[in-house]
Amino acid sequence: MLKYYKDLFNPKLSELEHGSYITIGTFDGVHKGHQRLISNVVREGKKNNYSTIAITFDPLPKTFFGNGGSDSSRLTSPYTRAERIGANGIDILIEYTFNQSFSTISAADFINEILVGLNPKKIFIGEDFRFGYKGSGNSAVLKQAGLTFGFETKILKFIELGKERISSTRVRHAIKNGNLELATELMGKHHEISGKIVRKMNDFKVSFVPNYDIILPPAGEYRVDIGDYNDKHSTKAINPNKSIDIILAKPMINSFSNDNVILRFLQSGTTIKNEEIKLKTYKERRTILS
C-alpha cells in the first residue's frame, strides 16, 4: 500500500535505513512516459530490496508561476495522480507544496534538505529534469552530489508515440483539441475527472460538478461513463468549467447522495461550435458539450 507524506523536509524514515530508489517529477496525467520511469524505479528497487519513492509537487510549478497558459491546466487531481502512482508499484509518495517559499529553494538545499534524508542509492530522472531555484539543478548537479553522498543518477530517455515525444503537454493538447483517443493512447487510461452528482433533474438527467479545475475537451460530442455505473451515458455541459449535465442512457436508480464519483471521457465525437444541439431522445445515447 502506498504511503503518503506531505512537505517532508530533513526526513528520517525508519523504512529507509537500508536505502531508497527515488524518482522526481510533476507526473501530471501519469502518462506512459511517467509509467516507464516509475516502472524502472520499482523493478530495480524490488530487485535490490530498496524502498521506492516518488517526489512530486502541488500545485504544478507551471501553474504557480502562471507562465504555462492553457498548458498549465491539470490532467489529474492530486488524488488521482497519487492513485495512479501507487498502482504502478511505488512504495512512498512525497508531495511538496509548491509555493513562494518552495520556489526559492536552491538546488543545493533541495539535495541537502530533501534528498539526503531519504538515504538515496539511486535517483531516476528524465532527460529534461530541472530542480531548484530557477531550474539551476540538472542531471550534472545530481551526479556531482552523488559523488559526495553516495548515490547514482540514472537518466531515462523519452519515449515516443508516432515519432513524437510522449509528454503531459502533448496530452493536454490532445484533450484541448477533443482528440480523446490520442489522449487515452498517450496515458494508457481514459481522461477522467472526479466530482459530485449534485442534483437529479429527472430520471435521465443529472448534474455533475468537478472537484478540481481539470482540463476538459472543447464543445463537442463525447461518450462518457460514471464510475462503476454499468452503462454508458451522454452528457451536455452547460459550463465545462463548472458543471456538466449528464443525459443517461437508462434511468439512474441509485442515488449518489453527493458522493465522489469519476466521470470518464471514452470517445470523441463531433465538435460543436456556436450552435445548439437538441437531444431528440435519450435513446440516441449521445454526449454533447456545448
Side-chain angles (χ1 to χ4, degrees):
M1 180 178 293
L2 180 72
K3 293 184 178 180
Y4 167 80
Y5 296 95
K6 183 75 173 176
D7 296 327
L8 192 63
F9 292 92
N10 298 307
K12 298 293 183 183
L13 302 178
S14 58
E15 61 262 47
L16 303 181
E17 290 179 358
H18 178 59
S20 67
Y21 278 16
I22 301 172
T23 185
I24 312 167
T26 57
F27 301 116
D28 191 28
V30 195
H31 56 62
K32 288 182 177 179
H34 296 144
Q35 292 168 33
R36 179 175 177 269
L37 182 61
I38 292 170
S39 68
N40 272 268
V41 179
V42 172
R43 183 177 62 253
E44 294 196 29
K46 286 184 177 180
K47 179 181 177 181
N48 296 291
N49 198 31
Y50 290 122
S51 295
T52 56
I53 302 173
I55 294 175
T56 192
F57 315 98
D58 184 61
L60 303 179
K62 280 186 177 181
T63 301
F64 173 79
F65 289 116
N67 59 4
S70 61
D71 285 347
S72 65
S73 302
R74 299 192 72 118
L75 294 170
T76 47
S77 68
Y79 174 82
T80 300
R81 177 177 61 181
E83 187 178 54
R84 291 184 179 182
I85 289 173
N88 278 275
I90 285 288
D91 297 316
I92 297 170
L93 175 65
I94 306 175
E95 183 183 274
Y96 290 91
T97 303
F98 203 97
N99 52 22
Q100 183 61 41
S101 175
F102 192 88
S103 72
T104 61
I105 293 177
S106 68
D109 285 345
F110 186 92
I111 293 169
N112 291 322
E113 297 179 16
I114 294 176
L115 295 181
V116 172
L118 298 173
N119 194 14
K121 300 303 178 183
K122 198 169 188 176
I123 298 177
F124 299 69
I125 56 174
E127 290 181 83
D128 62 347
F129 177 70
R130 311 282 298 193
F131 68 100
Y133 182 59
K134 292 186 176 181
S136 57
N138 55 22
S139 58
V141 173
L142 271 182
K143 286 183 176 181
Q144 184 62 40
L147 297 177
T148 301
F149 297 108
F151 63 80
E152 178 186 351
T153 299
K154 182 173 182 177
I155 304 169
L156 275 73
K157 294 184 178 297
F158 300 131
I159 63 171
E160 297 182 345
L161 177 67
K163 297 183 179 181
E164 186 178 346
R165 173 192 169 191
I166 295 177
S167 67
S168 296
T169 297
R170 189 179 175 192
V171 178
R172 290 187 194 98
H173 287 170
I175 295 170
K176 185 179 178 182
N177 292 329
N179 191 347
L180 295 178
E181 289 80 6
L182 175 59
T184 297
E185 194 170 0
L186 294 168
M187 288 193 291
K189 284 183 174 291
H190 294 298
H191 181 50
E192 62 184 37
I193 53 177
S194 63
K196 291 181 172 65
I197 302 293
V198 294
R199 77 193 155 119
K200 180 178 177 182
M201 288 164 274
N202 57 50
D203 286 344
F204 296 100
K205 188 175 182 180
V206 296
S207 184
F208 173 92
V209 174
N211 290 334
Y212 297 92
D213 186 16
I214 306 297
I215 189 170
L216 288 169
E221 299 180 0
Y222 304 96
R223 295 279 292 176
V224 302
D225 72 13
I226 304 175
D228 297 324
Y229 190 55
N230 295 322
D231 204 342
K232 304 302 179 280
H233 309 83
S234 303
T235 177
K236 179 179 179 181
I238 303 303
N239 183 335
N241 293 318
K242 293 182 180 179
S243 67
I244 300 174
D245 288 352
I246 303 172
I247 310 300
L248 307 174
K250 66 180 183 180
M252 180 175 285
I253 299 173
N254 297 323
S255 172
F256 286 99
S257 303
N258 280 336
D259 290 339
N260 280 317
V261 296
I262 301 296
L263 179 67
R264 297 184 184 90
F265 289 87
L266 305 180
Q267 185 178 10
S268 301
T270 305
T271 298
I272 308 301
K273 294 183 179 179
N274 299 321
E275 59 180 299
E276 185 168 338
I277 303 297
K278 294 183 179 179
L279 289 177
K280 295 180 181 179
T281 169
Y282 74 89
K283 292 180 181 178
E284 291 183 36
R285 298 187 180 187
R286 286 186 175 179
T287 296
I288 301 174
L289 296 183
S290 61

